[in-house]
Amino acid sequence: MSPSPGAVRELFRARFGGAADGVWLAPGRANLMGEHTDYNEGFVLPFALGHGIVAAAARRADRRLLLCSAQEPGCAADVALDGLEPGRVTGWAAYPAGVAWALAAAGYQVPGACLAIDSDVPAGAGLSSSAALECVTALALTELAGLSVDRRELAAIARRAENEFVGVPSGIMDQTASLLGRSGHALLLDCRSLETAQVPFDPAASGSCLLLINTRARHELSAGEYGQRRAECERAARLLGVPALRYLTGVGEVDRLTDPVLRRRARHVVTDDQRVLDVVALLRSSDGDVYPEIGRLLTQAHVSLRDDFEVSWPEADVAVDAAVDAGALGARMIGGGFGGSVLALARAEAAGPVRTAVAGAFARRSWTAPEFLDATPSASARRMALG
Ligand code: ADP
Ligand code: MG
């Protein structure tokens, strides 16, 4: 559960000489419910994972940012802080460099620094290694500078790095989860008001567990299809006379759309927003064991993403079906679609059979074996104790 601070300090020493001033950690995230709802001003319900990215860091006297990562062994980077602008830095170093750029743009003077990175969040698996990398950099650089920046502002700065410096048009969910998540909780985020609320979420306490299945698939479609879905949602909202699909009050309203594709897209968004609120109500209720019902909603969300929003991919569909057939309470794809991970909810004793069934279904199709990770709602980004 998250790389050891000792190992990343060693990496720092081997690469830069001398000792780091400190080690920081930022978690990846999974989203329990609410997919493609963020840019429709709706609700999402992510939680911070026990897996994360750590950075051992030290100030430098000059204006350079020296970067290395255990996961990018041949690709250390040396970035001049002055004159940074989008396009100047490419590859993985664009994420930390973008954070330095966005911090400066927000008026925070960050010092030159050396950063050594290590991670146990698989990159490109839809678990937001990118936001973890941004958030760990943001926290390390501001704390090295002796600055205390409000975490919501830090999330906005990290998002700006991803959107404008790296050039990925993502929402605010990932950085918010990494910086504001709480152990044993999911984070309800209203993407219209940006209000957040902590919702108790501790499946282990009810004998259940969450399993992430990295399908190891990434289909090329993803960027173009994402843009197309956004455009379809905007068109549907315009035709229905609302500023965003969030403003619809019930699923019946989407029937006014004559275009069957737009109708399906809008139906997914409206029903998924409602599923977020339903899961939150279940988690907040004291009605005994709510996990079977949450599992049912997860599978329902998968069907909606697969059939109405059409962003699922074959490996995800097979993983969901195999998990449910093997006794999972429910499962769904997470993230934007066309690749990444599936989140399954199961009784603790069913976790083993679910893993075996999913691995077997992949093997029968000669697909790359999936990777399994336990998902535990965990604490947000922080400075680590030395060790
Ligand atoms: P996700 O956020 O779902 O993991 P992204 O494509 O948004 O996928 O981000 C993955 C990118 O983030 C990688 O291609 C790499 O540039 C960067 N990244 C993630 N983890 C690391 C790491 N440990 N070291 C260096 N770069 C990383
Ligand atoms: Mg990402």
Side-chain angles (χ1 to χ4, degrees), residues 53 69 71-72 91-92 95 117-119 121-131 133 162 218:
I53 296 193
S69 164
Q71 284 71 44
E72 297 278 358
W92 77 271
Y95 293 90
I117 302 291
D118 195 5
S119 170
V121 186
L127 305 179
S128 224
S129 67
S130 58
L133 182 53
E162 180 151 338
R218 189 161 232 196

Side-chain angles (χ1 to χ4, degrees), residues 131-149:
L133 182 53
E134 292 146 19
C135 293
V136 80
T137 305
L139 207 59
L141 289 181
T142 50
E143 291 196 10
L144 282 176
L147 298 166
S148 162
V149 182

Side-chain angles (χ1 to χ4, degrees), residues 7-385:
V8 77
R9 288 171 74 79
E10 257 330 293
L11 176 66
F12 183 98
R13 190 183 299 278
R15 183 85 213 180
F16 303 120
D21 294 338
V23 177
W24 286 264
L25 162 72
R29 64 97 190 96
N31 186 20
L32 182 58
M33 196 62 84
E35 221 63 80
H36 287 273
T37 47
D38 58 348
Y39 54 81
N40 289 299
E41 299 189 26
F43 301 102
V44 292
L45 189 60
F47 58 96
L49 296 172
H51 298 75
I53 296 193
V54 294
R59 286 181 73 119
R60 292 178 59 87
D62 62 14
R63 300 282 302 147
R64 288 158 63 202
L65 193 59
L66 265 55
L67 303 162
C68 73
S69 164
Q71 284 71 44
E72 297 278 358
C75 299
D78 183 342
V79 174
L81 283 177
D82 296 321
L84 264 185
E85 52 183 73
R88 283 270 167 92
V89 183
T90 54
W92 77 271
Y95 293 90
V99 169
W101 168 80
L103 280 167
Y108 296 107
Q109 267 308 318
V110 293
C114 294
L115 256 80
I117 302 291
D118 195 5
S119 170
D120 66 355
V121 186
L127 305 179
S128 224
S129 67
S130 58
L133 182 53
E134 292 146 19
C135 293
V136 80
T137 305
L139 207 59
L141 289 181
T142 50
E143 291 196 10
L144 282 176
L147 298 166
S148 162
V149 182
D150 175 79
R151 288 201 167 203
R152 284 164 200 279
E153 189 182 357
L154 215 53
I157 288 168
R159 177 198 184 175
R160 189 167 179 211
E162 180 151 338
N163 291 172
E164 295 178 35
F165 200 90
V166 183
V168 177
S170 45
I172 191 71
M173 167 171 73
D174 303 347
Q175 295 82 5
T176 305
S178 187
L179 287 165
L180 294 177
R182 187 183 291 173
S183 172
H185 289 76
L187 188 73
L188 173 63
L189 170 61
D190 179 334
C191 297
R192 181 167 69 190
S193 66
L194 296 186
E195 275 173 34
T196 56
Q198 299 286 349
V199 183
F201 179 41
D202 185 5
S206 302
S208 294
C209 68
L210 290 161
L211 186 64
L212 283 165
I213 304 161
N214 175 8
T215 67
R216 296 193 195 254
R218 189 161 232 196
H219 299 282
E220 284 312 314
L221 298 161
S222 109
E225 294 279 342
Y226 179 81
Q228 195 185 329
R229 292 302 177 283
R230 283 188 78 137
E232 286 165 346
C233 288
E234 279 165 24
R235 202 156 68 243
R238 215 169 31 247
L239 288 168
L240 291 168
V242 287
L245 292 177
R246 152 73 182 276
Y247 289 75
L248 299 178
T249 51
V251 72
E253 284 189 74
V254 309
D255 291 339
R256 287 195 283 126
L257 290 163
T258 50
D259 179 333
V261 173
L262 294 188
R263 201 158 59 223
R264 287 205 307 275
R265 303 296 189 251
R267 186 165 61 202
H268 165 72
V269 173
V270 174
T271 58
D272 229 35
D273 269 334
Q274 187 57 47
R275 277 186 288 270
V276 173
L277 300 178
D278 290 348
V279 170
V280 168
L282 284 163
L283 289 172
R284 283 183 173 150
S285 78
S286 43
D287 293 353
D289 186 4
V290 295
Y291 287 98
E293 182 58 16
I294 292 175
R296 207 181 59 75
L297 289 168
L298 282 175
T299 307
Q300 201 184 79
H302 185 77
V303 170
S304 177
L305 286 158
R306 186 190 66 197
D307 299 345
D308 277 349
F309 221 66
E310 295 181 277
V311 291
S312 190
W313 62 104
E315 292 85 348
D317 295 338
V318 165
V320 167
D321 288 346
V324 171
D325 286 348
L329 297 170
R332 74 170 185 90
M333 57 155 279
I334 60 169
F338 304 103
S341 296
V342 161
L343 179 69
L345 178 67
R347 296 296 187 203
E349 62 275 13
V354 166
R355 277 196 193 89
T356 307
V358 174
F362 274 50
R364 276 196 298 285
R365 290 166 176 80
S366 304
W367 289 343
T368 307
E371 177 187 16
F372 298 102
L373 295 87
D374 291 324
T376 308
S378 298
S380 64
R382 59 199 178 271
R383 189 170 187 155
M384 296 182 91

